[in-house]
Amino acid sequence: MKNLVLFGPPGAGKGTQSEKLISKYGFVHISTGDLFRWHTKNNTPLGQQVKEIMNSGALVPDAVTIAILREEVAKHPQAAGFLFDGFPRTVAQAEALDDLMKALGTAIHHVIALEVDEQELRKRIAKRRTLESRPDDEEEKLNKRITEYFNKTIHVLPYYEKQGRLVRINGVGTIDGIFAEICALLDKP
Ligand code: AMP
């Protein structure tokens, strides 16, 4: 079982690359953003709890996020491998993920950081706005999400770097070119 974290700021292409990786390798995809969106859309108690936070572009508290992640992982005892997308976003989440993987007798094998500069991110999200409506893609909220990324989430990178598990990939290029780079890494014996 190989487990992968796909890491990057909003608009880096995590969703696009996840889809391609899942169809090629059969990963179980766990996106905490998608899980939270499902809850808000269905107006569950958790959805009501996180809706305002998400709409503001801020991060949901660790305790809530870690709980939902554990619950989701537990639903897939037969998984050939997990692809974590949008998680971890804090060092506390990264530690919790390591503990969880260890308890399952496995580990996070690869952490891939898709690197895209801020100007390009804004350009991509402006384009995404014309295709789908996400309240947190609005200008002010997007600013908050980018700030959260550069203030909090980026600190997760040294956590993995120190352990030699981080690979940085240039997220500016063609979708297929970036995908090929990720595959080359995953296919290495
Ligand atoms: P995403 O689709 O991954 O950009 O997530 C959308 C929103 O969900 C984020 O802006 C946060 O409010 C919340 N969220 C998703 N994943 C996490 C996480 N790992 N930690 C905290 N908040 C999260």
Side-chain angles (χ1 to χ4, degrees):
M1 172 159 159
K2 271 200 173 181
N3 303 303
L4 166 71
V5 168
L6 200 55
F7 200 88
K14 299 189 295 293
T16 307
Q17 294 297 333
S18 290
E19 271 177 35
K20 293 175 77 69
L21 289 164
I22 292 154
S23 79
K24 178 162 179 186
Y25 296 99
F27 287 114
V28 170
H29 181 215
I30 299 195
S31 154
T32 41
D34 285 351
L35 291 170
F36 287 140
R37 271 186 289 281
W38 185 88
H39 280 277
T40 54
K41 201 173 143 211
N42 290 283
N43 207 26
T44 66
L46 175 66
Q48 290 166 12
Q49 189 188 345
V50 302
K51 189 173 179 181
E52 295 234 326
I53 303 174
M54 281 182 79
N55 285 351
S56 75
L59 290 185
V60 173
D62 283 338
V64 177
T65 309
I66 292 166
I68 197 178
L69 178 100
R70 283 179 192 276
E71 207 177 278
E72 198 58 26
V73 167
K75 287 184 193 162
H76 302 279
Q78 308 296 339
F82 289 102
L83 190 167
F84 297 100
D85 162 6
F87 185 99
R89 270 168 145 108
T90 63
V91 173
Q93 291 180 14
E95 288 169 347
L97 183 60
D98 275 346
D99 291 345
L100 180 61
M101 292 293 104
K102 205 168 160 193
L104 295 175
T106 183
I108 295 295
H109 302 93
H110 299 284
V111 180
I112 296 176
L114 289 176
E115 297 195 309
V116 178
D117 63 79
E118 200 172 324
Q119 201 186 350
E120 172 70 18
L121 293 175
R122 289 179 184 282
K123 215 168 76 188
R124 289 182 185 185
I125 294 182
K127 191 172 159 204
R128 184 158 87 188
R129 267 191 217 121
T130 65
L131 303 171
E132 58 176 299
S133 159
R134 267 179 62 165
D136 59 353
D137 274 350
E138 289 161 17
E139 190 73 30
E140 187 190 320
K141 295 158 189 175
L142 173 64
N143 284 337
K144 175 74 179 165
R145 287 165 67 211
I146 292 180
T147 311
E148 288 286 73
Y149 180 81
F150 288 105
N151 280 344
K152 295 184 186 159
T153 306
I154 206 136
H155 300 302
V156 178
L157 292 179
Y159 174 85
Y160 288 117
E161 203 155 36
K162 266 189 263 165
Q163 302 168 350
R165 283 190 283 172
L166 180 73
V167 174
R168 297 172 190 270
I169 288 187
N170 182 1
V172 184
T174 64
I175 291 174
D176 286 341
I178 296 165
F179 181 60
E181 263 193 72
I182 300 176
C183 293
L185 179 76
L186 297 183
D187 293 341
K188 245 194 248 167

